[in-house]
């Protein structure tokens, strides 16, 4: 019994000193992490005191501490706003379209690239698909507007040449086309860069699994469904959790630029663009902060729910 008590005490001491001991032992790795932690603290945590504006009638002349407190007044104003349901509808529809189309697209591209055996062709496709990610949304929106223009726009000219339409269509001036244009533009811009992680996950699969499957008579398609996709599940689960947490983040730059036409306001006005217009254009700082805080709280709730659901499969974030 005495020996057992001694072993238990030693084990407890090791557990207590475990974190500090590892941090000291890994001092070089900790030094690399510190700059990132400082950046996150300075730019993400210190500015969080600004959420106080959501509960005030904030004035730039009075400041945070002298502005009058109004409680949940601005939240109530947003919930009773005539634009509330339109904004929520647009945000959810655009976010769900991006999720349903944009989330699986990089997975499909990674799976297809994995099946390409000609390495030169594979590298060319990878490079071409990655490049749009590094273009700013100003450039991408300009390209989209040029292609979809009624005046010498490439798409209208092609459709007319094929005798599909007689007169040019104002794609960015008619609301029924906006969601499709927005989602397809996002997929084109991000599909290549998003596939990098999935290609890395595929590269980490043990080749002997494919060899064993081939010996058992499994073809490439069956190997994909029986080995490749199941091996990618942990990575897919993590990115799905993050995507669900961002469901209310339908977009900002892309919607603001592609939906700049006032005619599209009924289908392009989402929470982020609404906050921008209310806060910066109309200078209603407290109201815009309240709307942004509402979105942040819902997003945290969605992230927590998605993580709890994923924990059952053992692929949660925490």
């Amino acid at each position: 019994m005495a020996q057992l008590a001694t072993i238990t005490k030693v084990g407890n001491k090791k557990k207590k000193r475990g974190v500090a001991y590892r941090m000291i032992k890994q001092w070089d790795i900790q030094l690399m992490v510190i700059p990132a932690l400082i950046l996150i603290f300075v730019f993400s945590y210190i500015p969080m005191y600004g959420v106080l504006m959501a509960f005030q009638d904030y004035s730039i002349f009075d400041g945070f501490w002298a502005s009058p407190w109004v409680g949940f007044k601005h939240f109530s104003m947003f919930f009773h706003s005539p634009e509330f349901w339109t904004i929520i509808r647009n945000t959810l529809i655009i976010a769900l379209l991006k999720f349903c189309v944009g989330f699986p697209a990089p997975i499909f591209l990674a799976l297809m690239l994995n099946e390409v055996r000609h390495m030169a062709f594979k590298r060319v496709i990878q490079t071409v698909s990655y490049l749009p990610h590094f273009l700013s949304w100003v450039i991408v929106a300009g390209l989209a507007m040029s292609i979809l223009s009624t005046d010498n726009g490439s798409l209208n000219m092609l459709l007319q040449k094929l005798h599909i339409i007689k007169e040019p269509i104002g794609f960015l001036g008619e609301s029924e086309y906006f969601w499709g244009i927005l989602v397809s533009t996002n997929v084109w811009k991000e599909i290549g860069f998003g596939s990098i992680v999935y290609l890395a996950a595929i590269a980490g699969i043990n080749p002997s699994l494919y060899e064993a499957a081939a010996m058992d008579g499994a073809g490439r398609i069956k190997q994909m469904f029986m080995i490749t996709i199941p091996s990618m599940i942990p990575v897919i689960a993590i990115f799905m959790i993050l995507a669900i947490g961002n469901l209310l983040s339908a977009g900002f730059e892309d919607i603001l630029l592609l939906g700049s036409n006032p005619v599209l306001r009924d289908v392009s006005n989402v929470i982020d663009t609404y906050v921008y217009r209310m806060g910066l254009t109309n200078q209603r700082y407290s109201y815009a902060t309240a709307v942004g805080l509402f979105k942040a709280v819902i997003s945290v709730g969605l992230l927590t729910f998605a993580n709890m659901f994923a924990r059952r499969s053992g692929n949660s974030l925490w």
Side-chain angles (χ1 to χ4, degrees), residues 42-98:
V42 171
F43 292 104
S44 297
Y45 283 90
I46 292 178
M48 284 180 69
Y49 72 89
V51 300
L52 293 174
M53 287 192 292
F55 307 97
Q56 298 175 319
D57 273 333
Y58 176 74
S59 169
I60 58 175
F61 301 105
D62 296 332
F64 285 104
W65 308 115
S67 298
W69 295 88
V70 294
F72 293 94
K73 169 188 169 183
H74 299 292
F75 294 92
S76 179
M77 288 173 62
F78 175 57
F79 296 147
H80 293 91
S81 169
E83 298 176 295
F84 176 76
W85 289 112
T86 301
I87 293 168
I88 296 299
R89 181 204 67 184
N90 294 340
T91 302
L92 289 177
I93 290 176
I94 292 174
L96 286 172
L97 285 172
K98 286 184 176 180

Side-chain angles (χ1 to χ4, degrees), residues 81-211:
S81 169
E83 298 176 295
F84 176 76
W85 289 112
T86 301
I87 293 168
I88 296 299
R89 181 204 67 184
N90 294 340
T91 302
L92 289 177
I93 290 176
I94 292 174
L96 286 172
L97 285 172
K98 286 184 176 180
F99 177 77
C100 294
V101 179
F103 181 78
I107 300 173
F108 291 144
L109 179 62
L111 291 172
M112 288 189 291
L113 287 173
N114 185 56
E115 298 303 317
V116 175
R117 292 292 170 261
H118 196 289
M119 295 307 298
F121 178 73
K122 184 176 180 178
R123 292 193 188 99
V124 169
I125 296 299
Q126 285 179 299
T127 304
V128 170
S129 62
Y130 296 165
L131 285 177
H133 172 80
F134 300 100
L135 300 177
S136 71
W137 267 111
V138 176
I139 297 173
V140 174
L143 288 171
M145 290 176 182
S146 177
I147 293 170
L148 301 173
S149 173
T150 55
D151 185 16
N152 295 324
S154 303
L155 182 58
N156 275 306
M157 292 174 66
L158 176 63
L159 294 176
Q160 285 179 307
K161 290 288 185 182
L162 295 174
H163 303 289
I164 296 175
I165 60 173
K166 293 182 179 179
E167 297 294 330
I169 299 174
F171 290 102
L172 289 175
E174 298 184 24
S175 57
E176 63 261 34
Y177 299 115
F178 178 71
W179 290 341
I181 293 169
L182 183 69
V183 173
S184 57
T185 307
N186 270 270
V187 171
W188 174 78
K189 187 176 187 299
E190 300 297 339
I191 185 172
F193 193 78
S195 67
I196 293 175
V197 177
Y198 300 112
L199 285 170
I202 292 171
I205 300 173
N206 191 341
S208 61
L209 295 175
Y210 292 106
E211 294 171 4

Side-chain angles (χ1 to χ4, degrees), residues 25-55:
K25 189 176 180 181
Q26 300 172 351
W27 63 270
D28 50 345
I29 300 175
Q30 302 299 331
L31 283 177
M32 291 196 308
V33 174
I34 287 173
L37 293 176
I38 292 172
L39 284 174
I40 292 172
F41 179 74
V42 171
F43 292 104
S44 297
Y45 283 90
I46 292 178
M48 284 180 69
Y49 72 89
V51 300
L52 293 174
M53 287 192 292
F55 307 97

Side-chain angles (χ1 to χ4, degrees), residues 231-243:
S231 300
M232 294 169 64
I233 292 297
V235 177
I236 293 173
I238 290 172
F239 279 90
M240 183 174 287
I241 293 169
L242 296 174

